Short mmCIF file of all heavy atoms in Angstrom, two decimals:
data_model
loop_
_atom_site.label_atom_id
_atom_site.label_comp_id
_atom_site.label_asym_id
_atom_site.label_seq_id
_atom_site.Cartn_x
_atom_site.Cartn_y
_atom_site.Cartn_z
N ALA A 1 0.84 -1.21 0.00
CA ALA A 1 0.00 0.00 0.00
C ALA A 1 0.87 1.25 0.00
O ALA A 1 0.58 2.22 -0.72
CB ALA A 1 -0.93 -0.01 1.21
N ASP A 2 1.95 1.23 0.78
CA ASP A 2 2.87 2.38 0.79
C ASP A 2 3.52 2.56 -0.58
O ASP A 2 3.66 3.69 -1.07
CB ASP A 2 3.96 2.18 1.86
CG ASP A 2 3.41 2.28 3.28
OD1 ASP A 2 2.29 2.78 3.46
OD2 ASP A 2 4.13 1.85 4.21
N ALA A 3 3.92 1.46 -1.20
CA ALA A 3 4.55 1.54 -2.51
C ALA A 3 3.57 2.09 -3.55
O ALA A 3 3.95 2.91 -4.40
CB ALA A 3 5.06 0.16 -2.94
N LEU A 4 2.33 1.68 -3.47
CA LEU A 4 1.33 2.19 -4.41
C LEU A 4 1.07 3.68 -4.19
O LEU A 4 0.87 4.43 -5.15
CB LEU A 4 0.03 1.39 -4.28
CG LEU A 4 0.09 -0.04 -4.83
CD1 LEU A 4 -1.21 -0.78 -4.52
CD2 LEU A 4 0.39 -0.06 -6.30
N ALA A 5 1.10 4.11 -2.93
CA ALA A 5 0.93 5.54 -2.65
C ALA A 5 2.11 6.33 -3.22
O ALA A 5 1.91 7.42 -3.79
CB ALA A 5 0.81 5.77 -1.14
N LEU A 6 3.31 5.80 -3.08
CA LEU A 6 4.49 6.48 -3.65
C LEU A 6 4.41 6.52 -5.17
O LEU A 6 4.78 7.52 -5.80
CB LEU A 6 5.77 5.77 -3.21
CG LEU A 6 6.17 5.95 -1.74
CD1 LEU A 6 7.36 5.06 -1.40
CD2 LEU A 6 6.48 7.41 -1.44
N LEU A 7 3.91 5.46 -5.76
CA LEU A 7 3.75 5.43 -7.22
C LEU A 7 2.73 6.48 -7.66
O LEU A 7 2.94 7.18 -8.65
CB LEU A 7 3.31 4.04 -7.67
CG LEU A 7 3.05 3.87 -9.16
CD1 LEU A 7 4.32 4.15 -9.97
CD2 LEU A 7 2.54 2.47 -9.45
N ALA A 8 1.65 6.62 -6.91
CA ALA A 8 0.65 7.64 -7.24
C ALA A 8 1.25 9.04 -7.14
O ALA A 8 1.00 9.89 -8.00
CB ALA A 8 -0.55 7.50 -6.30
N ASP A 9 2.08 9.26 -6.11
CA ASP A 9 2.75 10.56 -5.98
C ASP A 9 3.69 10.81 -7.16
O ASP A 9 3.75 11.92 -7.70
CB ASP A 9 3.54 10.63 -4.67
CG ASP A 9 2.64 10.69 -3.44
OD1 ASP A 9 1.43 10.97 -3.59
OD2 ASP A 9 3.15 10.46 -2.33
N ALA A 10 4.42 9.78 -7.55
CA ALA A 10 5.35 9.92 -8.67
C ALA A 10 4.60 10.23 -9.97
O ALA A 10 5.04 11.07 -10.77
CB ALA A 10 6.19 8.65 -8.83
N LEU A 11 3.48 9.58 -10.17
CA LEU A 11 2.68 9.84 -11.37
C LEU A 11 2.11 11.26 -11.36
O LEU A 11 2.03 11.91 -12.41
CB LEU A 11 1.57 8.81 -11.50
CG LEU A 11 2.03 7.39 -11.87
CD1 LEU A 11 0.86 6.42 -11.83
CD2 LEU A 11 2.71 7.36 -13.22
N ALA A 12 1.73 11.74 -10.19
CA ALA A 12 1.23 13.12 -10.09
C ALA A 12 2.35 14.11 -10.42
O ALA A 12 2.12 15.11 -11.12
CB ALA A 12 0.68 13.37 -8.69
N LEU A 13 3.56 13.83 -9.93
CA LEU A 13 4.70 14.69 -10.26
C LEU A 13 5.00 14.65 -11.75
O LEU A 13 5.33 15.68 -12.36
CB LEU A 13 5.94 14.27 -9.46
CG LEU A 13 5.90 14.59 -7.97
CD1 LEU A 13 7.09 13.96 -7.26
CD2 LEU A 13 5.87 16.08 -7.73
N LEU A 14 4.90 13.50 -12.35
CA LEU A 14 5.12 13.38 -13.79
C LEU A 14 4.07 14.18 -14.57
O LEU A 14 4.41 14.87 -15.55
CB LEU A 14 5.07 11.90 -14.21
CG LEU A 14 5.26 11.61 -15.69
CD1 LEU A 14 6.62 12.09 -16.17
CD2 LEU A 14 5.08 10.13 -15.96
N ALA A 15 2.83 14.13 -14.12
CA ALA A 15 1.78 14.90 -14.79
C ALA A 15 2.07 16.40 -14.67
O ALA A 15 1.89 17.15 -15.64
CB ALA A 15 0.42 14.57 -14.17
N ASP A 16 2.53 16.82 -13.50
CA ASP A 16 2.89 18.24 -13.33
C ASP A 16 4.05 18.63 -14.25
O ASP A 16 4.03 19.70 -14.86
CB ASP A 16 3.27 18.52 -11.87
CG ASP A 16 2.08 18.45 -10.93
OD1 ASP A 16 0.93 18.47 -11.42
OD2 ASP A 16 2.30 18.37 -9.70
N ALA A 17 5.04 17.77 -14.35
CA ALA A 17 6.19 18.05 -15.21
C ALA A 17 5.76 18.15 -16.68
O ALA A 17 6.23 19.02 -17.41
CB ALA A 17 7.26 16.96 -15.04
N LEU A 18 4.87 17.26 -17.08
CA LEU A 18 4.39 17.31 -18.47
C LEU A 18 3.58 18.57 -18.72
O LEU A 18 3.66 19.17 -19.81
CB LEU A 18 3.56 16.06 -18.78
CG LEU A 18 4.36 14.77 -18.88
CD1 LEU A 18 3.41 13.58 -19.04
CD2 LEU A 18 5.35 14.81 -20.02
N ALA A 19 2.81 19.00 -17.74
CA ALA A 19 2.05 20.24 -17.90
C ALA A 19 2.99 21.43 -18.03
O ALA A 19 2.79 22.32 -18.87
CB ALA A 19 1.10 20.42 -16.72
N LEU A 20 4.05 21.45 -17.21
CA LEU A 20 5.03 22.53 -17.30
C LEU A 20 5.75 22.51 -18.65
O LEU A 20 6.01 23.55 -19.25
CB LEU A 20 6.04 22.44 -16.16
CG LEU A 20 5.51 22.83 -14.77
CD1 LEU A 20 6.56 22.53 -13.71
CD2 LEU A 20 5.10 24.28 -14.73
N GLN A 21 6.07 21.33 -19.11
CA GLN A 21 6.74 21.20 -20.40
C GLN A 21 5.83 21.73 -21.51
O GLN A 21 6.30 22.41 -22.43
CB GLN A 21 7.11 19.74 -20.67
CG GLN A 21 7.85 19.56 -21.97
CD GLN A 21 8.15 18.09 -22.26
OE1 GLN A 21 7.55 17.22 -21.67
NE2 GLN A 21 9.07 17.85 -23.17
N SER A 22 4.56 21.46 -21.41
CA SER A 22 3.61 21.96 -22.41
C SER A 22 3.59 23.49 -22.41
O SER A 22 3.57 24.11 -23.47
CB SER A 22 2.22 21.41 -22.10
OG SER A 22 1.27 21.99 -22.94
N ILE A 23 3.62 24.08 -21.23
CA ILE A 23 3.62 25.55 -21.13
C ILE A 23 4.89 26.12 -21.76
O ILE A 23 4.85 27.08 -22.53
CB ILE A 23 3.49 25.99 -19.66
CG1 ILE A 23 2.09 25.65 -19.14
CG2 ILE A 23 3.77 27.48 -19.50
CD1 ILE A 23 1.93 25.79 -17.64
N VAL A 24 6.03 25.50 -21.44
CA VAL A 24 7.30 25.98 -21.98
C VAL A 24 7.31 25.85 -23.50
O VAL A 24 7.72 26.78 -24.22
CB VAL A 24 8.49 25.21 -21.35
CG1 VAL A 24 9.78 25.48 -22.10
CG2 VAL A 24 8.62 25.57 -19.88
N LEU A 25 6.85 24.73 -24.02
CA LEU A 25 6.83 24.55 -25.48
C LEU A 25 5.89 25.54 -26.15
O LEU A 25 6.18 26.06 -27.23
CB LEU A 25 6.43 23.11 -25.81
CG LEU A 25 7.47 22.04 -25.48
CD1 LEU A 25 6.92 20.66 -25.74
CD2 LEU A 25 8.76 22.27 -26.25
N ARG A 26 4.77 25.83 -25.51
CA ARG A 26 3.84 26.81 -26.06
C ARG A 26 4.49 28.20 -26.12
O ARG A 26 4.37 28.93 -27.10
CB ARG A 26 2.57 26.86 -25.21
CG ARG A 26 1.40 27.53 -25.90
CD ARG A 26 0.10 27.42 -25.11
NE ARG A 26 -0.17 26.09 -24.61
CZ ARG A 26 -0.38 25.81 -23.31
NH1 ARG A 26 -0.39 26.76 -22.42
NH2 ARG A 26 -0.62 24.58 -22.92
N ARG A 27 5.23 28.55 -25.06
CA ARG A 27 5.92 29.85 -25.05
C ARG A 27 7.02 29.90 -26.11
O ARG A 27 7.22 30.94 -26.76
CB ARG A 27 6.49 30.14 -23.68
CG ARG A 27 5.41 30.46 -22.68
CD ARG A 27 5.98 30.84 -21.36
NE ARG A 27 4.89 31.14 -20.45
CZ ARG A 27 4.89 32.14 -19.62
NH1 ARG A 27 5.91 32.96 -19.57
NH2 ARG A 27 3.87 32.33 -18.82
N ILE A 28 7.71 28.80 -26.31
CA ILE A 28 8.74 28.76 -27.36
C ILE A 28 8.09 28.94 -28.73
O ILE A 28 8.58 29.68 -29.58
CB ILE A 28 9.54 27.44 -27.29
CG1 ILE A 28 10.43 27.43 -26.05
CG2 ILE A 28 10.37 27.23 -28.54
CD1 ILE A 28 11.09 26.10 -25.77
N LEU A 29 6.96 28.30 -28.95
CA LEU A 29 6.25 28.42 -30.22
C LEU A 29 5.79 29.85 -30.45
O LEU A 29 5.94 30.39 -31.55
CB LEU A 29 5.05 27.47 -30.24
CG LEU A 29 4.22 27.45 -31.51
CD1 LEU A 29 5.07 27.02 -32.70
CD2 LEU A 29 3.03 26.52 -31.35
N ILE A 30 5.26 30.48 -29.41
CA ILE A 30 4.84 31.89 -29.52
C ILE A 30 6.04 32.77 -29.86
O ILE A 30 5.97 33.65 -30.72
CB ILE A 30 4.16 32.35 -28.22
CG1 ILE A 30 2.80 31.66 -28.07
CG2 ILE A 30 3.99 33.87 -28.18
CD1 ILE A 30 2.16 31.84 -26.70
N HIS A 31 7.17 32.50 -29.19
CA HIS A 31 8.40 33.26 -29.46
C HIS A 31 8.83 33.07 -30.91
O HIS A 31 9.17 34.04 -31.60
CB HIS A 31 9.51 32.84 -28.50
CG HIS A 31 10.82 33.48 -28.80
ND1 HIS A 31 11.08 34.78 -28.52
CD2 HIS A 31 11.94 32.97 -29.38
CE1 HIS A 31 12.33 35.08 -28.90
NE2 HIS A 31 12.87 33.99 -29.42
N LEU A 32 8.82 31.85 -31.39
CA LEU A 32 9.23 31.58 -32.77
C LEU A 32 8.28 32.23 -33.78
O LEU A 32 8.72 32.72 -34.82
CB LEU A 32 9.32 30.07 -33.02
CG LEU A 32 10.46 29.36 -32.29
CD1 LEU A 32 10.37 27.86 -32.52
CD2 LEU A 32 11.80 29.90 -32.73
N GLU A 33 7.00 32.23 -33.46
CA GLU A 33 6.05 32.91 -34.34
C GLU A 33 6.34 34.41 -34.38
O GLU A 33 6.27 35.04 -35.44
CB GLU A 33 4.61 32.66 -33.88
CG GLU A 33 4.13 31.26 -34.16
CD GLU A 33 2.74 30.98 -33.58
OE1 GLU A 33 2.22 31.83 -32.83
OE2 GLU A 33 2.21 29.91 -33.87
N GLY A 34 6.68 34.98 -33.21
CA GLY A 34 7.03 36.40 -33.16
C GLY A 34 8.28 36.69 -33.97
O GLY A 34 8.34 37.69 -34.72
N VAL A 35 9.27 35.83 -33.88
CA VAL A 35 10.51 36.00 -34.65
C VAL A 35 10.18 35.91 -36.14
O VAL A 35 10.71 36.69 -36.95
CB VAL A 35 11.56 34.94 -34.24
CG1 VAL A 35 12.72 34.92 -35.21
CG2 VAL A 35 12.04 35.20 -32.82
N SER A 36 9.32 34.98 -36.51
CA SER A 36 8.95 34.82 -37.91
C SER A 36 8.24 36.07 -38.43
O SER A 36 8.50 36.52 -39.55
CB SER A 36 8.05 33.59 -38.06
OG SER A 36 7.60 33.46 -39.38
N ILE A 37 7.36 36.65 -37.62
CA ILE A 37 6.65 37.87 -38.02
C ILE A 37 7.64 39.02 -38.19
O ILE A 37 7.58 39.77 -39.19
CB ILE A 37 5.56 38.23 -36.97
CG1 ILE A 37 4.43 37.20 -37.03
CG2 ILE A 37 5.01 39.64 -37.20
CD1 ILE A 37 3.44 37.31 -35.89
N ILE A 38 8.56 39.14 -37.26
CA ILE A 38 9.58 40.21 -37.36
C ILE A 38 10.43 40.00 -38.60
O ILE A 38 10.73 40.95 -39.34
CB ILE A 38 10.44 40.25 -36.08
CG1 ILE A 38 9.60 40.70 -34.89
CG2 ILE A 38 11.65 41.14 -36.27
CD1 ILE A 38 10.29 40.56 -33.56
N LYS A 39 10.82 38.76 -38.87
CA LYS A 39 11.65 38.46 -40.03
C LYS A 39 10.92 38.82 -41.33
O LYS A 39 11.49 39.45 -42.23
CB LYS A 39 12.03 36.98 -40.03
CG LYS A 39 12.97 36.58 -41.12
CD LYS A 39 13.34 35.10 -40.99
CE LYS A 39 14.20 34.65 -42.13
NZ LYS A 39 14.49 33.22 -42.09
N ARG A 40 9.63 38.46 -41.41
CA ARG A 40 8.86 38.80 -42.61
C ARG A 40 8.70 40.31 -42.75
O ARG A 40 8.76 40.84 -43.85
CB ARG A 40 7.47 38.13 -42.55
CG ARG A 40 7.53 36.70 -43.05
CD ARG A 40 6.15 36.08 -43.13
NE ARG A 40 5.92 35.47 -41.82
CZ ARG A 40 4.75 35.42 -41.21
NH1 ARG A 40 3.69 35.94 -41.75
NH2 ARG A 40 4.63 34.85 -40.04
N SER A 41 8.53 40.98 -41.62
CA SER A 41 8.39 42.45 -41.67
C SER A 41 9.69 43.08 -42.17
O SER A 41 9.66 44.02 -42.98
CB SER A 41 8.04 43.00 -40.29
OG SER A 41 6.81 42.52 -39.86
N LEU A 42 10.83 42.59 -41.69
CA LEU A 42 12.11 43.12 -42.14
C LEU A 42 12.33 42.84 -43.62
O LEU A 42 12.86 43.69 -44.36
CB LEU A 42 13.26 42.54 -41.30
CG LEU A 42 13.35 43.03 -39.86
CD1 LEU A 42 14.43 42.26 -39.11
CD2 LEU A 42 13.62 44.53 -39.81
N GLN A 43 11.95 41.68 -44.07
CA GLN A 43 12.09 41.35 -45.50
C GLN A 43 11.17 42.25 -46.33
O GLN A 43 11.54 42.68 -47.41
CB GLN A 43 11.76 39.88 -45.75
CG GLN A 43 12.86 38.95 -45.27
CD GLN A 43 12.47 37.48 -45.42
OE1 GLN A 43 11.32 37.14 -45.71
NE2 GLN A 43 13.44 36.61 -45.23
#
């Protein structure tokens, strides 16, 4: 039972990490879109 509780905690931490990764990737995508817009404007 203790091991299963620890596994549940680990899975919750993994879900949090994946959510944070999604946020970071979304921000990188927004940044790249901004760079692309600036590049097209300069061209």
Side-chain angles (χ1 to χ4, degrees):
D2 290 344
L4 289 174
L6 288 173
L7 178 61
D9 290 344
L11 289 174
L13 288 173
L14 179 61
D16 291 345
L18 289 174
L20 288 173
Q21 182 183 17
S22 173
I23 291 169
V24 168
L25 290 175
R26 197 173 314 124
R27 288 184 180 222
I28 289 171
L29 182 61
I30 290 169
H31 174 74
L32 290 175
E33 287 175 352
V35 169
S36 176
I37 291 170
I38 293 171
K39 184 177 176 184
R40 276 186 270 145
S41 297
L42 289 173
Q43 286 175 350

